[in-house]
Amino acid sequence: ILNVEQSPQSLHVQEGDSTNFTCSFPSSNFYALHWYRWETAKSPEALFVMTLNGDEKKKGRISATLNTKEGYSYLYIKGSQPEDSATYLCAFISSGGSNYKLTFGKGTLLTVNP
Amino acid sequence: ETGVTQSPTHLIKTRGQQVTLRCSSQSGHNTVSWYQQALGQGPQFIFQYYREEENGRGNFPPRFSGLQFPNYSSELNVNALELDDSALYLCASSVPGRNTEAFFGQGTRLTVV
């Protein structure tokens, strides 16, 4: 059974604060790690697809790093804005299967107060 | 907008009934996956279809079944509904590949009473 853990479970920050979350996943049979952003009443939206150890990806104020050897990824948000309020999900894909199923963590709920 | 649409958006069913949920995938995507998100949990993989064939299944009983059509749209069928089947059901379309993301619909909220 694959276990993907995210911390913290929820986070309240003030507008302008920088923040980060953690996703831990099995370090064996790594294939890919996805980050999704999910706003209330909308669809989950892909932020990053990460495949290589040491990957760093950036989209505007959001960036992510990947360490496949120790099994973790960090998501950073610089200068949080109220529109960043959402649930951030990470999902692991194992190389051990014949399909591309995503194994999700429970997510980190971010609330940015104006 | 992801281009993935699900119907209906909300549904209330009685225990023991059957339900069909529908998903139209993004143009050009030949793979559809279904996920169940129960309260307080992350989405859980139900199954995946690739070119109309089931291509992997999660830990769900056989009363959860699916179909994928030649246009790559998909259905999720659940028979003999139980109260614990109450959840948000998400479908995601994609193309196979290591660097490709999944595109999700907004989900169908199923309530079983």
Side-chain angles (χ1 to χ4, degrees), chain A residues 34 93-94 97-103, chain B residues 30-35 44-60 64-68 72 74-76 90-97 100-102 104:
Chain A
H34 292 204
I93 302 180
S94 167
S98 62
N99 58 62
Y100 298 90
K101 76 168 191 179
L102 296 165
T103 299
Chain B
N30 54 20
T31 302
V32 173
S33 304
W34 285 89
Y35 294 85
Q44 300 287 313
F45 176 73
I46 302 174
F47 43 56
Q48 183 179 94
Y49 279 82
Y50 170 66
R51 292 186 175 179
E52 303 177 61
E53 297 287 328
E54 188 179 287
N55 181 38
R57 188 178 183 90
N59 190 26
F60 282 81
F64 285 76
S65 63
L67 279 174
Q68 188 180 30
Y72 301 137
S74 178
E75 285 182 356
L76 164 65
L90 291 164
C91 82
S93 76
S94 61
V95 290
T100 61
E101 64 198 69
F104 283 86

Side-chain angles (χ1 to χ4, degrees), chain B residues 2-113:
Chain B
T2 64
V4 178
T5 57
Q6 292 187 242
S7 63
T9 53
H10 295 85
L11 200 51
I12 299 175
K13 287 285 191 178
T14 303
R15 192 170 48 181
Q17 283 188 313
Q18 178 266 343
V19 70
T20 297
L21 310 182
R22 294 180 174 84
C23 172
S24 66
S25 52
Q26 180 146 330
S27 176
H29 286 188
N30 54 20
T31 302
V32 173
S33 304
W34 285 89
Y35 294 85
Q36 179 198 66
Q37 191 191 28
L39 202 61
Q41 303 296 316
Q44 300 287 313
F45 176 73
I46 302 174
F47 43 56
Q48 183 179 94
Y49 279 82
Y50 170 66
R51 292 186 175 179
E52 303 177 61
E53 297 287 328
E54 188 179 287
N55 181 38
R57 188 178 183 90
N59 190 26
F60 282 81
R63 59 190 184 83
F64 285 76
S65 63
L67 279 174
Q68 188 180 30
F69 299 100
N71 66 355
Y72 301 137
S73 66
S74 178
E75 285 182 356
L76 164 65
N77 299 290
V78 188
N79 293 324
L81 283 166
E82 300 177 0
L83 296 179
D84 284 349
D85 296 333
S86 297
L88 180 71
Y89 289 85
L90 291 164
C91 82
S93 76
S94 61
V95 290
R98 190 172 188 185
N99 289 298
T100 61
E101 64 198 69
F103 291 79
F104 283 86
Q106 287 187 282
T108 294
R109 173 71 63 187
L110 173 65
T111 303
V112 183
V113 297

